Amino acid sequence: MSDLLERLRARGWRLTSQRRVVAEVLDGEHVHLTADEVHARATTRLPEISRATVYNTLGELVALGEVLEVAADGRAKRYDPNAHRAHQHLICSGCGAIRDVQPQGDPLAALPAAERFGFTVTAAEVTYRGLCPNCRP
């Protein structure tokens, strides 16, 4: 059973066949699919699953905090099941590919006290951008 399915079962989330298929499609490392990609993959497993069901299920998973919604420069939102492990994203400016990265150090420490303007900083979201090997000239 996938990590995401295990987490959902532990929460007591009702796993209908449609919800299960969406969770199975999202399973894996470095998975950052769009809703349309989730739907396309889900229909190979459960042909009758509707686009609306996929969108609604993704919305519920995001609201539960079990999946992250990743926006990348005006492109379609992507869904990341790696919601419980601290990480940042590396995004290709060419094709939009996304990879999870775990750089060393505390990203909160990178913001000097003088730049916090009195805020109590509790989290940091860091996105690295560049060109993947397929897009580099």
Side-chain angles (χ1 to χ4, degrees), residues 6-22:
E6 286 179 20
R7 293 190 326 248
L8 293 171
R9 283 213 171 149
R11 291 184 78 129
W13 198 56
R14 195 167 67 92
L15 278 170
T16 63
S17 58
Q18 294 91 346
R19 286 175 165 184
R20 181 182 186 83
V21 165
V22 170

Side-chain angles (χ1 to χ4, degrees), residues 60-137:
E60 289 178 36
L61 292 171
V62 169
L64 286 170
E66 294 296 339
V67 171
L68 302 173
E69 197 173 67
V70 180
D73 299 335
R75 297 177 190 262
K77 293 177 186 169
R78 295 181 176 261
Y79 296 88
D80 180 359
N82 192 4
H84 294 280
R85 292 184 201 106
H87 68 285
Q88 285 88 41
H89 291 106
L90 176 61
I91 301 176
C92 178
S93 301
C95 67
I98 302 175
R99 301 289 294 190
D100 290 345
V101 293
Q102 291 87 24
Q104 300 298 312
D106 179 5
L108 294 177
L111 184 62
E115 292 293 320
R116 295 180 187 210
F117 301 99
F119 281 63
T120 300
V121 180
T122 58
E125 293 178 19
V126 177
T127 302
Y128 300 91
R129 299 186 193 292
L131 292 174
C132 72
N134 295 329
C135 293
R136 274 197 315 256

